[in-house]
Amino acid sequence: MAGDGSDQRALQYEQTLYGSYSEDFGKYTKEEAARLRESGQRRSVSRTLDPLEYDKGRCAKCRFCTVRCLKVLISFVGEDWIFLILLGLLMALVSWVMDFGINSCLYALMWIYNSLDSNVFLQYLAWVIYPVVLICFSAGFVQILAPPAAGSGIPEMKTILRGVVMKEYLTLKAFVAKIIGLTAALGSGMPLGKEGPFVHLGGLCAAVLMRFMSLFGEIYENESRYIEMLAAASAVGVGSCFAAPIGGVLFSIEITSQFFSVRTYWRGIFAATIGAFIFRVLAVWNTDAETVTALLRTSFRLDFPFGLQELPAFGALGIACGFGGALFVYLNGVIVRFIKKQKANNGFLMKRHLLYPALVTLLISTLTFPPGFGQFMAGKLNMMETMEALLDNRTWAKQGIAEEAEHMGHSEAWIIPQVNVFVTLGLFTFMKFWMSALATTMPVPYGSFMPVFVIGAGFGRLVGEGMATWFPDGIHTNGTSYPIVPGGYAAVGAAALSGAVSHSVSTAVIVFEMTGQITHILPIIIAVILANVVAQSLSPSLYDSLIKIKKLPYLPELGWGHHEKYDIHVEDMMERDVRYITLNCSYRDLHNVLLKGHLKTVALVESAESMILLGSIERAQLQELLSLQLGRPLRLVNIREGAVEDKKRLSVVSNDSSENSSHRASQEVRFQISTEDSSLSPTRPVPQKPLKPALKRSSVVEQPTGPHDHSGIAFKNLYGTIPDTEADLEHNVDVEDDMTIREITELEEKQLDDKVNFNNCKIDDATIQLVERMSLHKTHTIFSVLGLDHAYVTSIGRLVGVVSLKELHKTIEGSVKVEGAKVRPALASFRDKGKSSSENETIDVHKLRDRLRSMQLPRDHIPSE
Amino acid sequence: MAGDGSDQRALQYEQTLYGSYSEDFGKYTKEEAARLRESGQRRSVSRTLDPLEYDKGRCAKCRFCTVRCLKVLISFVGEDWIFLILLGLLMALVSWVMDFGINSCLYALMWIYNSLDSNVFLQYLAWVIYPVVLICFSAGFVQILAPPAAGSGIPEMKTILRGVVMKEYLTLKAFVAKIIGLTAALGSGMPLGKEGPFVHLGGLCAAVLMRFMSLFGEIYENESRYIEMLAAASAVGVGSCFAAPIGGVLFSIEITSQFFSVRTYWRGIFAATIGAFIFRVLAVWNTDAETVTALLRTSFRLDFPFGLQELPAFGALGIACGFGGALFVYLNGVIVRFIKKQKANNGFLMKRHLLYPALVTLLISTLTFPPGFGQFMAGKLNMMETMEALLDNRTWAKQGIAEEAEHMGHSEAWIIPQVNVFVTLGLFTFMKFWMSALATTMPVPYGSFMPVFVIGAGFGRLVGEGMATWFPDGIHTNGTSYPIVPGGYAAVGAAALSGAVSHSVSTAVIVFEMTGQITHILPIIIAVILANVVAQSLSPSLYDSLIKIKKLPYLPELGWGHHEKYDIHVEDMMERDVRYITLNCSYRDLHNVLLKGHLKTVALVESAESMILLGSIERAQLQELLSLQLGRPLRLVNIREGAVEDKKRLSVVSNDSSENSSHRASQEVRFQISTEDSSLSPTRPVPQKPLKPALKRSSVVEQPTGPHDHSGIAFKNLYGTIPDTEADLEHNVDVEDDMTIREITELEEKQLDDKVNFNNCKIDDATIQLVERMSLHKTHTIFSVLGLDHAYVTSIGRLVGVVSLKELHKTIEGSVKVEGAKVRPALASFRDKGKSSSENETIDVHKLRDRLRSMQLPRDHIPSE
């Protein structure tokens, strides 16, 4: 996306202005039909030439056999089930192999570190260089193979699940890069987690698997199904990462969706269970565990897990975690923004790509060096060891000073002779806090969930030890006294802080499943809710914050709590100044509309008097129409020049996009974005000729490198035949190429007065129309469920306005601000006005027409008449 | 609903034919606006005259004070939060009080039974008469106060949450009837549960609370919010019933929704946590429990809960439970259908309302009489005691014969000297199975979840004891041997069977939360998934089965597994033969359309040539238009006759419906049903005069007793003034009442040729339009999210078809059947046809018009021309 340093408002404007992510599925189908006719039997061959580049020739026989077997199996079981089982298996394997790799890396580091214990300096060098090398490898590898694989991937998955097409995020390359990069990054021992990348990996795995399975029959073509499967896949990711099927499903739902179907939930549970099961069974076979149990098994008291008197402490812990979560998101956002600015300004840090991650790693590993400062913050332990220690059943504060700590396993790390356990825990929490916020800005695959989880556990443990010290006798009930369990506080803190950062309550379920105990359900869920309440009122979630920073298209969530929002209707937020063209307009009108408007689509109405909405046409389509009408001679020259190279590209790219667009059979207003890193964006290409200044402006972002195939087809359709591209072009060129520029200009001027022929224009049925009295909630629901980008507002068939994501952003975020200040909602006056006018509810159909004519839209938008 | 004995197909036809649940919210708003203008300042008074009949006068001062306080509080915290907190509190209180009442009833029965132990006959009498009296009281009380309170209420809640308005199910009366009836029914000791009614109670409580809170400001007017709150409320119901907040939310989501928003999930978790917390805290204060722990706390081994070798047994248990669940649903359905038939035929059993429940209770209590047959099936224990015993940690099969059973608490009930524990468990499972299926057909408030849960636990225990006998040494791993825990099997069986019956996987979470242990997560979730797979492929869920039997409007779920369904598009299922009228049609055309068509709504197009869809008009509206034009003299006579009584009713009913319709501000095609039991249905009234035979037919179901207010308003609008109803009518009557019948007929014939004046007609903007290439999945999503009843299919603004619930039913259920038979999908041929025609994708806008004209719809539907 353009404009790194600009703010959100400017972005929205840009998006609308340049329409860089405008894409429509209905159109795709239509185009594909045309292209299919053209490509004919070439198609069956081209199917295998998809971006994953399967080697078709080599395994032809083997494939034939597999196809038969699979088809029998599929017809018997149903492909959804097979797909989900395969997905679960694959993700479990990936998770397990990755864990194996990470543990090997960590073990190697500890081995080197321990074998160098004669020389502290050498130890330090090993401790520092090892992670730096791994992180640099990870960053470099990802950068070379697939830059989209860097980062957590949750913001992108959220955007994709909203219906935005971001192809480069779901490729086999990204899959490989993510796995290897993540293994290296986590093997370095930095405070990074694997949960975010696993959401992305789930999606990647599903996309790759769907590609693979589509080799065995055309069964994966439905777009809603594709999205549903991706949603299920992200659940599998979390599930197989934490061996927490239910929590994984709920967590992935909460962080990626605003609406979801019970069907998806079901699919997720099914696949995540298989994933979690296999993941744990692999551990059993590898004799890491005796049987299938929880990942971080705890053994809290069952009979009296906590006293009612402790609940206020749990609540306070939750609230504190809420503030902490908001702070973490803020801190992370500040660093990410700073980095982006540096990158944009080509600052010192960004000059060499690997310098920043190397410096960050150096800083963090220096501070955690066990003989150095690391001894005060359990620097020796890796993430899982830390969690095990923090969830420990014993009370550290009571253990006196380190005497009995010998046989306490990992807990020793906190109980050092010189300092109080509160100091070590406090230092641990504080240091890990900023370290994690810093580490999760490196250009490597990373997750923020696990570091936050550990910080939360540390903070909870701190509070728990405090409570144990404060009430050394524990809780008295019915004569018995039960000591306080600081490990329970650690579990509460972990759930609350991770919930606050991710704005989800299902972290509670993840904690139950990870620890294998549900005894603390009430304190955990209360703390998580309180943390969420605080964090949600202070900041967006970490993922939404990144979405905003990365400028991905998103629909803000509707908060809840105040009723003002229930009083906002479409009429309050719609843009009344709609660009439209009429069915009988001339090319000059078309030209004027394109000159004035900046929207991605233009509404098509029957006539300026009736204003009956027929559909919408994309800007690119109209430009094509115009250029076909006007610029044919010039255009032909252009085309002749470009034809030879383009034709070669065409044969690859058109097959490619015909393959992909088959997923998008439905006919909604959807959109596609291309990120700054994307190299190939096979989206709607437009004619190359810069027609007029205004058009030039928009052509900046309209992929000037795109292939000519679409216009070529429209062109051919115009002539009613399907001739060979090049020959046909040359024929036309021969006929008309002898005109002078002046003649052309004159001709153009005359041609501009012709009526537009929409015959070959792809008109989008604007199927989802809003009405003025529709509430914000319903509008939000429609936008989020159907993944809309904009929708027209009609009144008895007549176009009266348009609502796009921009208006929704403004309304939702604007009204939130207003609420904070406790004044009358900004839209209230508008609202009242609307009320008074809407009192006259019985609509006079015939009069309406006159009224619309009299209250006419501004002159410059009326093309015909 | 009409026609008890008829089948599903016939019902659908009827619904479409008579439109008995056709209602539109947009219209409501418009009518209300008109009515508000009329009622003027009376409104502020009338607000309190809603069906809850708050005593306005008495507490005026106190109310003023409360309003101020509440408003300050609300502005500070936000009303959603307050509402949810109140809801949670209230439901917890209700649940606790009800438990107290139920336990008292059960205790009283046991006390009577024990104190009569000298005489077995007296004991039997007490054992039998006590429940019969309670059940009869429950049935009678509910029948008198609020018949909709009978049954579980989940089918109705599911229908309501789909957007169907069923007012009589959400009244204060039903709330009271449900609480008292349920307490009496459960106090009788019959195999009934409280979970289903609690879903309904949650909804009732939310509805009542919203009414109550709306006294303090007009803040509860948004319909989506209303539905969202009801969804959250049903979660609270389950949550506070089982003290299982997370499981409650997930369960209520799974059984009531097909789509839901994360916002709702959030709300549900929040309120359910409060509910569950308060519910358990009340228990602590009442010293039932030491601290807040699980309801049915278990103490399974933590270190080695189960061996991997046991997983096949768990899987088999799940599959068996799946078959059992399907059988239960089938059995229950057969009995319910039989009862309905009996009722329809006024059979012997139904002659006296209370005879059937009394007979059923007599039969069941006779069989469970502890000294009689009951001793072989633990007849003495109530539901909670049974569950506690079944989840017991010991192995009964090993206890030898009853010697050591003395100190085993409730488990003794199964270990009797004469018979093997397998026999008692088997008998228990079998007897409870049919008893529960029978008991859950009585006309009392009941839940089927808990009985099924208990049966599942019994069956699981049976399997577990079998495993323990089969492998007396348990599982050997690493030298240690762990005995098999039959209690774990009981937990698995309970979750699996209840999951199979309700078609949900979240019963697993409920089990975790109820038992306070998550150690068996893997076997439970695997068994639940397998049970669901089996049950879902065999039968609908219990609730869907009841929905079908009760003939509530529903949208079948899209199954998953086979790809044929992904290949169905709107064009395959739409009804191409759409009734429409044009903007310029004459009254005769209108008349013809009404005469021929049976649909609830008629499409309004611009003209028969253009076929541009403008919106739709309800049948009743058109009839009103016609009667205003034609039958005015006759109509006036009618009105004069009815005016005096109606006016009285009007003052109450119109306030009532103005109150209610304020919830329905949005403008969708929604619908309202009135069930056979509803006494007052203030829905759209229509003119009374039976115009022509065809109209007479439809007027059968159009509430001939409804008030005249709506037509009155339209009438008044026609005259441009807002006069007093009666005076105005009489004035008109004086003017025109001197015509003869022949004159009227002649005038009517002439009037029929007039152009229709749509000025006062409420036109519904058909905002959601489908396109022919939209997939079944997307259509299903749109219908389920927006709660649609029908949607028009357009192609570039032109009406080409209509899809209603009927078509969706046919498509989804039709294709399911086809899949079962493994033949080509029924719609495939259609599909191919569609494909071949849709190949010509680039649409010629101008030609389209001509094509439409030439492929004209059948003659009788073309009113104008």
Side-chain angles (χ1 to χ4, degrees), chain A residues 78-80 225 258 260 262 267 277 291 306 513 516 521-522 561 563 566 667 765 769 773 796 843, chain B residues 78-80 225 258 260 262 267 277 291 306 513 518 521-522 561 563 566 667 759 765 767 769 773 796:
Chain A
E79 32 317 83
D80 285 6
R225 183 173 177 287
Q258 297 192 2
F260 66 106
V262 172
R267 284 201 171 105
F277 173 58
T291 184
F306 58 94
E513 290 183 287
I521 177 165
L522 213 56
H563 77 277
Y566 295 111
Q667 312 218 353
D765 309 85
Q769 298 165 7
R773 295 289 305 164
I796 314 187
I843 290 162
Chain B
E79 45 298 275
D80 285 5
R225 184 172 178 286
Q258 296 191 3
F260 66 106
V262 172
R267 284 200 170 105
F277 173 59
T291 186
F306 59 93
E513 289 182 289
I518 202 168
I521 177 164
L522 213 56
H563 77 276
Y566 295 112
Q667 311 218 357
N759 281 9
D765 309 86
T767 53
Q769 298 167 7
R773 295 290 304 166
I796 314 187

Side-chain angles (χ1 to χ4, degrees), chain A residues 139-150:
Chain A
F141 185 79
V142 164
Q143 178 63 28
I144 290 162
L145 193 63

Side-chain angles (χ1 to χ4, degrees), chain A residues 388-510:
Chain A
E388 271 171 42
L390 290 172
L391 293 172
D392 188 58
N393 223 0
R394 282 156 293 195
T395 312
W396 300 344
K398 273 187 193 165
Q399 302 287 338
I401 297 170
E403 274 88 76
E404 307 127 70
E406 301 293 297
H407 43 274
M408 281 184 72
H410 299 309
S411 305
E412 307 172 32
W414 273 278
I415 306 165
I416 49 174
Q418 304 90 327
V419 263
N420 197 311
V421 70
F422 292 106
V423 175
T424 52
L425 275 173
L427 261 179
F428 169 81
T429 308
F430 173 73
M431 297 298 283
K432 284 277 172 181
F433 191 85
W434 68 259
M435 280 179 183
S436 301
L438 182 63
T440 51
T441 60
M442 292 190 290
V444 295
Y446 63 80
S448 335
F449 183 87
M450 209 51 202
V452 168
F453 199 77
V454 172
I455 297 164
F459 182 62
R461 183 92 204 183
L462 184 64
V463 173
E465 295 287 346
M467 286 292 287
T469 315
W470 196 7
F471 302 102
D473 298 338
I475 309 291
H476 294 274
T477 319
N478 300 347
T480 352
S481 92
Y482 298 95
I484 282 169
V485 186
Y489 286 82
V492 172
L497 193 64
S498 50
V501 168
S502 60
H503 283 201
S504 65
V505 287
S506 42
T507 52
V509 184
I510 291 182

